[in-house]
Amino acid sequence: MAISFSAAAKAEICRELPTSNCCAQAQCFGILLYGNSFQADGIKIITENRDFAMLLPRLFQKAFAVSFDSFPSVACPGKLVFEIWDPEKLQVIFSAFGFDAKGLLALHVNLPVVEEECCKAAFLRGAFLAGGSVTDPGKGYHMELTTTHASVARETNALLREVMTFPPKIAERAGTQVLYFKQSDQISDFLTYLGAPVAAMGIMEAKLEKELNNKVNRRCNCDDANTSKVVEAAQDQLHAIRILKKAGILENLPGKLKEAAIAREENPSASLTELACLMEPPITKPAMNNRMKKLQNLAKEAQK
């Protein structure tokens, strides 16, 4: 079964474990603030992404030297649930972010945790892994980060403005805060920043393919329209020639007009340019068009 574009982007990000302890903690911070539950009585992270699931134990071990109290086998189907409820482990994690597990009231992005440039990127990687998604670019352009904490969304918005120079849009959906991008170049830049250049390239390739298809379609539509005009004009000219022939006028026309009429009858689907080349000697397209108009005007007079 093929994985989704979003899952492939996350798999690309999960290939490397942060090299420094500060970045590991910053990435965990993003995961916890954009995950399922980060409370004094326990931590719960739920995912269906196997690459993310394999990264989590290693990441928390590097960041805090703690293990999950409950974790599934990545071979299990469906959703995978990771939990920590041991008070000592929780205190270690909360303290790393400058929080007091017992007195915590509202979660927010603690700026000292994301002070360094490398830690900013790590934090956003964690946020995307836990609460992010990106649409298959073949279907549309949409990338988002979702959290239940309004203060976290506001502070992440400020962080994104700082590191990406372009702000995301913000919306509320079913009680959650959503930061999102809908422009292909912004999504591509953000994926590159997160460490998923292959996925970013996929966005740009899809955009180029769409632009090429649009150009081809416009050209085909234009060609079809031009072909229709040529066919309609040729039918009008043939109709005029039939009127002249029936009225006995065609045989008595000047040589140039008669030559043009015969050429049209023998080449009913030819363009004016092609007919012009058949004249002896060849003439220009405007000259050929002038001869056809004279034939049509004579046919109109013959019908009066």
Side-chain angles (χ1 to χ4, degrees):
M1 180 178 178
I3 65 172
S4 67
F5 184 82
S6 189
K10 290 184 179 183
E12 190 176 356
I13 293 171
C14 288
R15 288 174 187 165
E16 293 187 12
L17 188 70
T19 55
S20 64
N21 182 264
C22 65
C23 287
Q25 290 187 357
Q27 189 161 326
C28 286
F29 199 25
I31 291 169
L32 292 169
L33 292 180
Y34 281 82
N36 301 89
S37 180
F38 182 28
Q39 301 296 330
D41 58 352
I43 289 170
K44 180 183 288 187
I45 302 168
I46 303 174
T47 182
E48 293 185 9
N49 188 295
R50 269 51 192 171
D51 295 281
F52 181 35
M54 288 188 287
L55 175 69
L56 276 172
R58 299 165 56 212
L59 189 60
F60 272 69
Q61 184 63 42
K62 182 176 183 59
F64 314 110
V66 301
S67 58
F68 285 94
D69 295 320
S70 174
F71 55 91
S73 167
V74 293
C76 294
K79 295 181 179 179
L80 306 176
V81 181
F82 294 79
E83 293 182 279
I84 297 176
W85 56 72
D86 183 278
E88 292 185 3
K89 294 179 182 179
L90 291 172
Q91 187 57 48
V92 169
I93 294 171
F94 275 88
S95 297
F97 302 131
F99 297 147
D100 182 355
K102 296 179 181 179
L104 185 65
L105 296 176
L107 293 173
H108 64 91
V109 180
N110 196 350
L111 295 181
V113 179
V114 293
E115 185 174 3
E116 300 297 328
E117 289 299 320
C118 58
C119 294
K120 290 181 174 69
F123 172 83
L124 291 170
R125 278 196 291 272
F128 177 69
L129 290 173
S133 64
V134 57
T135 302
D136 186 326
K139 299 177 180 178
Y141 304 121
H142 183 87
M143 183 176 188
E144 66 178 42
L145 300 175
T146 304
T147 179
T148 57
H149 311 291
S151 57
V152 170
R154 287 194 303 269
E155 291 158 352
T156 304
N157 181 31
L159 182 61
L160 284 167
R161 286 172 178 268
E162 178 185 345
V163 300
M164 300 305 300
T165 70
F166 49 79
K169 296 182 182 297
I170 305 177
E172 186 172 345
R173 183 197 303 150
T176 62
Q177 304 296 314
V178 183
L179 304 173
Y180 65 95
F181 300 108
K182 294 191 76 69
Q183 294 185 25
S184 59
D185 55 340
Q186 293 181 351
I187 296 171
S188 178
D189 288 349
F190 189 40
L191 285 171
T192 300
Y193 181 76
L194 295 181
V198 175
M201 184 62 68
I203 298 284
M204 299 315 297
E205 288 176 349
K207 181 181 180 181
L208 291 173
E209 184 176 353
K210 287 180 182 179
E211 290 177 348
L212 178 60
N213 288 338
N214 288 338
K215 287 182 180 178
V216 171
N217 289 335
R218 285 196 295 271
R219 180 62 183 270
C220 288
N221 291 337
C222 182
D223 289 346
D224 288 344
N226 290 336
T227 300
S228 297
K229 289 179 181 178
V230 169
V231 171
E232 290 175 5
Q235 292 302 315
D236 291 341
Q237 293 157 11
L238 288 168
H239 178 64
I241 292 168
R242 284 193 292 270
I243 292 173
L244 294 173
K245 184 179 288 188
K246 185 177 180 180
I249 299 175
L250 186 64
E251 291 299 324
N252 298 319
L253 289 176
K256 291 181 179 180
L257 288 180
K258 186 176 180 180
E259 181 188 18
I262 293 171
R264 170 50 80 196
E265 280 190 303
E266 294 177 350
N267 303 275
S269 62
S271 67
L272 286 177
T273 301
E274 292 169 333
L275 290 179
C277 293
L278 297 175
M279 299 296 98
E280 292 290 345
I283 59 177
T284 64
K285 178 183 176 181
M288 191 70 200
N289 185 49
N290 187 50
R291 291 185 187 184
M292 288 298 165
K293 284 185 176 179
K294 286 183 178 180
L295 289 171
Q296 288 173 296
N297 289 334
L298 288 171
K300 289 179 181 178
E301 292 178 3
Q303 287 182 309
K304 291 181 180 180

